[in-house]
Amino acid sequence: METELKYTIADRALIEEIFNDDQVRRYKDENTEVLIPMNAVFYDTPDYKLQRAGFAFRIRREGDENVATLKWGGTTSEGMHKRQELNITLDDEEARHPAISIFGQDEVGGELERLIGDEPLEALMEIQYLRRQVRLDTGKSISELSADEGFVRANGGETPICEMEIELYSGDEEDMRALGDEIASKYDLKPENTSKFKRGLSLLFNEKSI
């Protein structure tokens, strides 16, 4: 289960302020702060079988690593996103040939293989951004604070990304929620209920329907 908070950042200059905030500095592990270029492509069949079944399938280049991700189900409320997630690391050859069979050893992956059959997968959208992230440990929860700047591109359109995320790794969810809300209140960040994937779908289906 993935559990994370999302907030819109209206002014990119706030990112530096957030990462140097006294409270963030108190909790952060200095050795974990990194900048990671992310390039994600989401895939589906020509008739959107995955989307119709409530699944999102992406392959993302995370720095020097390829990660295939399957997401489904879950809820979203006041910036809190909860959903099922399955991740598998790929080599470069596997990343060039996206296939649901990547998840074949998992029960859900097997069900999707039967659903899709031999249908090819096509790229739906591309999402590129630079992620600044650091691990936070409050003593009650361990989470990852990240700021993403980039764009979502689909169907000839493009929309910008500038947002903060706090993803829970372990511990008390309410503690993570309180930390996120305190940072958001201090820097006037608004809860973001629309994922990057859904923003891409809005672009994609502007001229298409399923």
Side-chain angles (χ1 to χ4, degrees):
M1 172 72 76
E2 178 189 52
T3 301
E4 65 182 13
L5 289 164
K6 288 180 178 285
Y7 302 92
T8 299
I9 300 176
D11 181 357
R12 65 181 304 276
L14 290 175
I15 294 174
E16 190 67 30
E17 293 185 41
I18 291 168
F19 274 74
N20 285 286
D21 181 87
D22 288 342
Q23 186 170 15
V24 171
R25 289 174 64 86
R26 183 163 64 251
Y27 294 139
K28 76 179 181 179
D29 180 348
E30 300 286 350
N31 297 323
T32 65
E33 185 168 341
V34 293
L35 286 172
I36 307 174
M38 301 282 199
N39 189 343
V41 179
F42 283 80
Y43 296 90
D44 206 337
T45 63
D47 56 351
Y48 308 110
K49 276 192 168 65
L50 293 176
Q51 169 65 16
R52 291 175 184 276
F55 288 84
F57 169 43
R58 79 172 182 224
I59 294 180
R60 187 168 70 184
R61 182 76 173 179
E62 304 177 1
D64 296 326
E65 188 174 66
N66 302 302
V67 180
T69 300
L70 194 63
K71 296 189 180 189
W72 70 98
T75 60
T76 301
S77 177
E78 298 182 341
M80 178 74 83
H81 298 247
K82 296 182 179 182
R83 55 209 163 192
Q84 299 295 325
E85 181 178 274
L86 183 61
N87 295 295
I88 297 176
T89 301
L90 306 178
D91 60 33
D92 288 345
E93 182 65 20
E94 290 172 320
R96 283 192 290 268
H97 299 90
I100 285 296
S101 58
I102 291 168
F103 304 101
Q105 293 185 349
D106 185 89
E107 181 179 351
V108 172
E111 292 175 1
L112 291 181
E113 279 193 275
R114 291 187 288 275
L115 173 69
I116 291 174
D118 295 329
E119 284 195 62
L121 293 177
E122 298 180 346
L124 296 182
M125 69 189 73
E126 180 183 20
I127 304 177
Q128 289 186 358
Y129 53 99
L130 183 64
R131 169 166 287 181
R132 181 176 178 178
Q133 69 180 34
V134 69
R135 186 72 56 86
L136 303 180
D137 186 350
T138 70
K140 294 182 179 180
S141 66
I142 297 175
S143 58
E144 187 173 82
L145 170 70
S146 62
D148 297 339
E149 292 183 84
F151 63 84
V152 181
R153 182 181 291 150
N155 196 26
E158 184 175 302
T159 188
I161 298 166
C162 192
E163 62 186 23
M164 183 184 83
E165 296 182 359
I166 301 181
E167 181 175 354
L168 182 66
Y169 276 8
S170 63
D172 187 346
E173 180 182 314
E174 290 304 314
D175 181 68
M176 183 268 282
R177 166 106 250 182
L179 176 61
D181 286 348
E182 185 170 343
I183 295 171
S185 177
K186 185 181 295 186
Y187 296 99
D188 195 27
L189 308 181
K190 305 303 181 186
E192 177 58 78
N193 287 329
T194 306
S195 67
K196 297 179 182 72
F197 175 63
K198 287 187 177 179
R199 275 172 264 176
L201 290 180
S202 294
L203 292 172
L204 181 68
F205 297 133
N206 187 40
E207 298 179 0
K208 297 182 180 181
S209 60
I210 59 171

